[in-house]
Amino acid sequence: MNFTLHADFQPAGSQPDAIRGLTSGFSSGMAKQTLLGVTGSGKTYTIANLITELGMPTLVLAHNKTLAAQLYNEFLDFFPENRVEYFVSYYDYYQPESYLPRKDQYIEKDADINPKIEQMRLSATASLLSRNDTIIVSSVSCIYGLGNPEHFRNLGFELRCGEKARQREIIERLVEIQFERNDTELMPGRFRVRGDTIEIIPGYFNDIIRIELFGDTVDRISEIEKTSGRRISTMEYFHIYPARHFVTPEDERKRAVESIRAELDEVLPTLGMIEAHRLRQRTLFDIEMIEETGSCKGIENYSRHFDGRSAGEKPYCLLDYFPGDFLLIIDESHQTLPQVRGMFNGDYARKKNLVEYGFRLPSAFDNRPLKFHEFEQYMKHVVFVSATPGSYEAEHAEQVVEQIIRPTGLVDPVVEVRPIDGQTRDLEKEILRTIEQGDRVLVTTLTKKLAEEFTDYLIGRGIKTRYLHSEIITLERTEIIRQLRLGTFDVLVGINLLREGLDIPEVGFVGILDADKEGFLRNEKSLIQTIGRAARNVNSRVVLYADRMTDSIKRALAETERRRKLQIAFNEEHGIVPETIRKPIREKEVGGVELTEIPEDEIPNLIIQLESDMRAAAESLDFEHAIELREQIRQAKEKIGDPATRR
């Protein structure tokens, strides 16, 4: 099936040349290309056109969940008739297993899994195995270990109307692929039995699949709306994929257990008495759990044995679920590639102590993310997308396609450099001026403390302000950005706002504090990218507060001016009058919670509002929403140290 692109506009500005250039590049046999596109030039639309031209399954790789969520929604709009999926880490909270030798402290793995994201991950792999017209938008989670795709594909089974199938056999097969029976509460990954009817919710589905038997024959298969019980449709057949990614046939599970025992016997003589006792006790307990229940806590540490891999051999990951030829789009490649490169070393360093001190078998090292050279093996058709490509792209891309001219005619913003002395008062004046013209403001600081202090200062001056930092739940960031666009508040303060992908047309001013403090957040690439946050609004301006012109500032200003000249010349030649981008504001982005990060003195008022909403939800029998609100109230009370939350 082909990809069908839906858009209310046609390629414009630099987009037609960029689409032709990338398409012809792949046609001529190029494996790696770079799309150097300025902020607001419509890079996503260019890539959507490229996907349509090539007709290949596509992986769009982003460097964080928030940016991935935004890209996912954009591709959903472009390809409503095709499969667009979202694949990110399903942990809302994750504390990895580790051991601190100096303290002799073992820290057990602790995690809070987001069931909605787990369902979307399963949907992504199911789509890849069943359809060619699939686009997956993913974070670097895609290079981490995942179940064997052959097991996931082969252990699934199809039910077809009119075929012979005993109820007991269907139940046994569902249990084998990790569905849980629960006749009271039906959720993704569960099934229930009522007479001759089996109802299941696949792990990658929202509604119920009802299988009605007549004797030993499948009589009817229906999709049922979960909340109302209304029959949505009937179908001739339905393919059921496993409820989890890690599934193993019974015979291979037995082989894996023997392999684990063999490795244990081999490792024990090399350890000290305490370490050997520790490893023997833990591993034998895990083996017993696997034999009795088919799983154990931390079973992913034995993935090499279940997959039948050799020591050091790369694990299966999402990339293995794609066919041999697929299109790989690496968004913000200057940040995403270094992140991919660094994943393995961090994982290895943590596990080294666990293995050396007898908490894990050495095979735990093989439950890991891909090494960079392993990731490179999947780069058969890749586009690096960035406004500031890095050294890897420069060395490996066979062609660089520039996309400097925006379809709207917008030019890069005017940039001023002002002294640091008095930057707070000057910035306040600019903020008030921007708010008066109906626009929003972004401010970047160098430290979390300064971000919080500046936020409190602006609030004290009567300016509605929020800040973003690393402690805010990842998917909550999307809601904060949405509220900025809605005008719930006017100023967003952060340290590294680049990671949010804040291409917001409502932003009319960007202030960069302490711009002359050289480092990661104030280098040439970061400055160019931050300046670009103001490139979607015709009235936008940028001020860098600095006492000296660093080399990074000079180069960033020079590149911005080069682009401005090209853009202005194009507009004059074609008689284009720049106009601010119009972008609809969604009701809600992907998943996540709605509680936004606000200053501490505002939290009591927020709690009152949440409690009112919770009671209203309960009265209208919307108990799921009431539970969500109750959890947000608990989190808010914890933030201000309410003793009622301590139990």
Side-chain angles (χ1 to χ4, degrees), residues 83 93 161 198 374 437 479 525 561 583:
R83 295 300 299 175
Y93 165 75
C161 288
I198 301 174
E374 294 168 340
Q437 71 187 25
E479 177 66 12
K525 287 184 171 59
E561 186 58 29
K583 189 176 180 183

Side-chain angles (χ1 to χ4, degrees), residues 47 60 67 124 140 148 195 204 229 301 418-419 432 466 513 528 546 618:
I47 293 300
V60 181
L67 181 56
V140 294
N148 186 329
Y204 48 91
N301 290 289
R418 298 179 186 173
L432 292 172
R466 300 284 185 271
L513 300 180
I528 291 173

